[in-house]
Amino acid sequence: MNENEKISNEKGNWYVAEIIEKREPTNRNKDNDLRRVVTWGNLHLIKAENPKMAYEKAIKIGKEAEIKFINSDNIEMEYSFVGIADLIPIYDDTIQDGCEIMWTDYGSISNKKTKSYIRSEKEILESIKPKKD
């Protein structure tokens, strides 16, 4: 790897934020919390001086992504920012190919449950959506 492909994290100022957003019709019953909405958890890499600033930046990113549009069925839809699900500091001193940027502690669980997290190559590759131009 070339030196220019590395990002210094010596100050510990990089974070991964999970920003939750949803898509639904603008004409909906907002009082019905059991309504179905298409929901995403989008992971964003954020550089900030401290966790509070990283959180505020994540909020800004989420709000800036809100849009309204007319879908192919001529229904007005909207993408709405819901909130921040997680904010995880990156602990490696250098961000580069293969570095660990986040982890999940699943606790003490059965070996069977541990194996249940694994998906086949086919399942993983089929779940990746092509990049939109």
Side-chain angles (χ1 to χ4, degrees):
M1 171 174 290
N2 295 332
E3 192 65 31
N4 62 355
E5 292 181 332
K6 296 179 181 180
I7 299 170
S8 174
N9 190 35
E10 288 179 29
K11 295 180 182 178
N13 56 353
W14 286 94
Y15 301 82
V16 174
E18 183 176 11
I19 299 172
I20 305 297
E21 71 177 10
K22 64 183 177 179
R23 183 188 69 217
E24 61 184 331
T26 56
N27 183 16
R28 63 190 179 274
N29 179 357
K30 292 181 182 182
D31 295 329
N32 179 5
D33 255 353
L34 298 178
R35 70 187 184 275
R36 310 300 287 176
V37 297
V38 178
T39 305
W40 292 271
N42 299 315
L43 300 172
H44 290 260
L45 187 60
I46 294 178
K47 183 177 183 179
E49 294 300 314
N50 56 56
K52 173 117 174 87
M53 292 175 76
Y55 183 85
E56 290 169 356
K57 196 179 233 185
I59 295 283
K60 183 178 182 207
I61 291 168
K63 288 181 177 180
E64 287 176 349
E66 292 185 321
I67 62 165
K68 291 183 180 181
F69 64 98
I70 305 295
N71 72 7
S72 58
D73 295 325
N74 206 29
I75 298 171
E76 185 177 31
M77 304 290 287
E78 67 182 338
Y79 286 97
S80 301
F81 168 66
V82 179
I84 307 302
D86 214 345
L87 182 66
I88 303 166
I90 297 174
Y91 293 109
D92 279 4
D93 289 339
T94 305
I95 298 170
Q96 62 184 340
D97 186 27
C99 79
E100 179 180 305
I101 61 167
M102 56 188 295
W103 51 270
T104 301
D105 182 352
Y106 293 109
S108 180
I109 60 176
S110 71
N111 187 56
K112 181 178 180 178
K113 180 68 175 172
T114 298
K115 289 179 179 180
S116 75
Y117 293 122
I118 305 305
R119 298 184 316 172
S120 71
E121 177 183 7
K122 181 180 177 191
E123 288 174 305
I124 291 171
L125 296 179
E126 286 177 352
S127 72
I128 297 173
K129 306 289 184 226
K131 182 178 178 182
K132 296 178 184 175
D133 291 332

